[in-house]
Amino acid sequence: VGSEMCIRDSIAGNRRFYNKPNVSIVRDAQHGDYLTIALGSGHRAHPKFTTAVENNFYVVKDRFPYSNRTSYTAKTPATSSSLSGDADPDLIYDLSDVLKEGHVLTSDQQKMLTGGGGWYVNLKGTGEKVLAESLTYAGTIIFTSFQPTSGASTSCAGDVGTSKVYALDQNTAMPSLDLDDDGDVDISVTINIPGIAPQPVIIIPPNTNSSGGSNGESTTPVIAVGTVILTPPPPPEIKPVAPIYWRQN
């Protein structure tokens, strides 16, 4: 899928991509199956000094997941951030302005995103960038970002910056997980990782009994980012997993 994500004659639009895309299949009985291709921009070679570029996170839809195409139409970012009118499968819609905690999309906006070619959001922090691969799990795209410390440093230590974890809906980019377990879904949370945060992974830890062994009961997946463990309540459509363990002689 071709997409115009970089504007080389603009400093703000000079985006770079260092990580492979995160590709996931979406089963859609009404509109047909499609792939989502998720990728964030960020200059990994200079994570601290590249601060003038406006980095984005993109999700592009490929409507032909089961066939070989001889040609593709490049998907381009929509010229307006307004989500109105008819959906265009060749446009990637800017959801930066509607990405707010508690915001609810209208039915017309949801139709545009369902029929459109994807979405993208701007990373709001100065110099904020995506420097690791993303993860798609249960209809949610999870990714990390890094933002260098602003201003001159008075310390001899290295600039470890600030790392965040985002969890956005695969189709609408709305916040979909309660990352800090405070009762409200979050766009992102800051995590205590010095330097660049790695790719998030899903871990299904075993439940243990009083003797330290597995009791075979259901367990809830957690998000691991390096040494940081996030335990958001799972989406309602995801049932707890009951792992089965055995020993083979």
Side-chain angles (χ1 to χ4, degrees):
V1 175
S3 179
E4 298 179 6
M5 300 178 179
C6 176
I7 305 173
R8 294 179 180 145
D9 58 355
S10 165
I11 294 178
N14 187 22
R15 303 179 187 93
R16 307 191 186 202
F17 301 87
Y18 279 73
N19 301 291
K20 66 182 180 181
N22 156 32
V23 181
S24 178
I25 186 73
V26 177
R27 307 288 187 182
D28 190 332
Q30 182 178 2
H31 300 92
D33 298 351
Y34 59 91
L35 298 174
T36 57
I37 304 167
L39 184 65
S41 67
H43 194 181
R44 190 179 178 90
H46 293 286
K48 177 179 177 180
F49 299 109
T50 306
T51 58
V53 177
E54 295 179 359
N55 288 298
N56 298 328
F57 190 87
Y58 297 87
V59 173
V60 181
K61 295 181 181 179
D62 181 357
R63 298 284 183 180
F64 304 95
Y66 307 122
S67 61
N68 293 324
R69 302 279 292 173
T70 57
S71 64
Y72 280 96
T73 301
K75 297 183 183 294
T76 57
T79 56
S80 172
S81 60
S82 174
L83 291 175
S84 60
D86 297 327
D88 189 333
D90 293 329
L91 289 182
I92 308 172
Y93 293 102
D94 182 1
L95 299 185
S96 304
D97 291 340
V98 298
L99 182 57
K100 302 174 183 177
E101 294 179 8
H103 179 82
V104 178
L105 294 173
T106 66
S107 59
D108 288 342
Q109 291 173 334
Q110 291 178 351
K111 289 179 181 178
M112 286 195 69
L113 293 174
T114 298
W119 54 263
Y120 71 95
V121 293
N122 178 252
L123 303 180
K124 300 296 187 180
T126 301
E128 188 177 5
K129 50 186 67 70
V130 176
L131 300 176
E133 296 176 36
S134 61
L135 166 75
T136 302
Y137 174 73
T140 296
I141 296 179
I142 307 167
F143 64 95
T144 59
S145 73
F146 171 80
Q147 181 180 355
T149 303
S150 61
S153 175
T154 58
S155 172
C156 295
D159 180 7
V160 297
T162 301
S163 292
K164 293 181 179 179
V165 177
Y166 289 77
L168 305 180
D169 185 270
Q170 189 175 8
N171 187 54
T172 66
M174 294 296 100
S176 57
L177 291 179
D178 179 9
L179 293 171
D180 55 8
D181 200 16
D182 66 350
D184 298 314
V185 293
D186 306 288
I187 296 173
S188 66
V189 293
T190 300
I191 55 176
N192 185 22
I193 286 185
I196 299 172
Q199 177 189 19
V201 296
I202 296 294
I203 296 178
I204 304 176
N207 280 343
T208 56
N209 53 33
S210 58
S211 60
S214 173
N215 57 19
E217 296 180 356
S218 299
T219 185
T220 301
V222 300
I223 302 171
V225 184
T227 58
V228 175
I229 301 296
L230 302 175
T231 57
E237 66 272 13
I238 297 298
K239 297 180 180 180
V241 176
I244 300 175
Y245 302 91
W246 69 92
R247 178 177 297 174
Q248 183 174 350
N249 296 325

